[in-house]
Amino acid sequence: MGCEITSKQRAGIINPMYDCQPAGAQYAGIGVKDCIPLVHGGQGCTMFVRLLFAQHFKENFDIASTSLHEDSAVFGGHKRVEEGVLTLVRRYPNLRLIPILTTCSSEVIGDDVEGTIVRRFPGWFALAFVEYAGKQTRLSSAIDRLASGEEERRRTPRMDQLDVAVLVRHADGREALGELIDVSVDGAFLAMDESFVVGERIRVGEQDAEVVRQSVEGVAVRFF
């Protein structure tokens, strides 16, 4: 087995941070008044980017980190996001914007961030959600229903298990990964690109189910 050495065709070295999307998002964040970006990732995702900015602009910038560790890869890092936001709000009471920036590590473990705190008031804060159209519509309907005092029309209560990845199996053995968006004792809605046939029997995780509706956002199933 031979080995061939190929010389470089360029004289310089490309800094990998120049192609890093979270670095670009942090660069945008430092230019906004009363804003501190919160980077959802390891400390290095913030430290090295801050060093790059400091070397270039010859000044320091405030960029926060959720500081993910090994336990977050197993149990998820959403708690770190909550702690990071509360720490920033308490330490910097004049903040008006906290963009939460995901990184390679947080996206690999499935920590999808759905919104941004855009305004803070005594005892509460306002969020701007970044979601696909179907989920935005359901969220808007839920907010309108809560504001009007109307009770949710459900035969069984919703369970608190949103945005969980689950394996879906067809009757012929084919498998696909879906995101559990809405679930109750009777059924669930899963966000996924897989095609189904209404009435088809499938298996959602360890639960047998029947497809009752298919849409561009995903599939609705009834448990049995």
Side-chain angles (χ1 to χ4, degrees):
M1 182 176 179
C3 179
E4 180 181 356
I5 300 177
T6 304
S7 60
K8 293 182 179 179
Q9 300 299 319
R10 62 177 186 272
I13 298 176
I14 298 175
N15 189 329
M17 278 194 292
Y18 293 162
D19 295 326
C20 174
Q21 292 184 1
Q26 293 174 63
Y27 178 59
I30 63 176
V32 179
K33 183 180 179 181
D34 297 330
C35 166
I36 295 181
L38 177 61
V39 181
H40 188 33
Q43 290 181 335
C45 297
T46 303
M47 180 183 67
F48 291 111
V49 174
R50 288 184 62 186
L51 177 61
L52 178 68
F53 292 164
Q55 291 174 338
H56 180 78
F57 294 105
K58 302 297 187 289
E59 61 177 296
N60 194 22
F61 298 93
D62 290 325
I63 303 175
S65 172
T66 58
S67 186
L68 290 183
H69 294 285
E70 293 84 351
D71 58 337
S72 298
V74 179
F75 302 107
H78 282 96
K79 188 65 176 178
R80 303 291 297 175
V81 176
E82 296 175 8
E83 293 172 352
V85 169
L86 290 175
T87 299
L88 286 174
V89 168
R90 293 179 184 131
R91 187 168 296 180
Y92 302 94
N94 295 324
L95 275 181
R96 295 191 300 170
L97 182 65
I98 305 176
I100 303 174
L101 313 178
T102 57
T103 59
C104 302
S105 55
S106 60
E107 292 180 0
V108 165
I109 64 177
D111 270 2
D112 298 322
V113 179
E114 301 177 349
T116 301
I117 294 179
V118 292
R119 289 187 301 278
R120 179 182 175 271
F121 303 91
W124 64 285
F125 52 81
L127 283 171
F129 285 93
V130 183
E131 282 295 346
Y132 57 85
K135 195 166 185 180
Q136 286 180 356
T137 301
R138 292 197 300 274
L139 179 62
S140 177
S141 300
I143 292 174
D144 291 340
R145 185 173 58 251
L146 289 173
S148 65
E150 178 186 354
E151 294 186 1
E152 189 175 15
R153 296 186 297 271
R154 281 181 172 269
R155 291 181 298 176
T156 54
R158 176 189 283 118
M159 298 179 183
D160 187 18
Q161 293 184 5
L162 302 184
D163 302 325
V164 176
V166 63
L167 187 65
V168 178
R169 297 181 181 88
H170 291 266
D172 59 7
R174 289 181 294 123
E175 296 181 342
L177 194 63
E179 184 182 4
L180 200 57
I181 299 297
D182 190 0
V183 62
S184 68
V185 174
D186 287 340
F189 183 85
L190 300 102
M192 54 192 311
D193 298 328
E194 188 78 3
S195 296
F196 296 89
V197 178
V198 175
E200 179 182 355
R201 297 293 182 93
I202 62 175
R203 193 167 180 81
V204 180
E206 299 301 324
Q207 179 68 48
D208 292 323
E210 179 184 2
V211 176
V212 295
R213 187 176 72 254
Q214 173 86 56
S215 66
V216 293
E217 291 89 12
V219 59
V221 301
R222 176 179 61 86
F223 296 140
F224 60 85

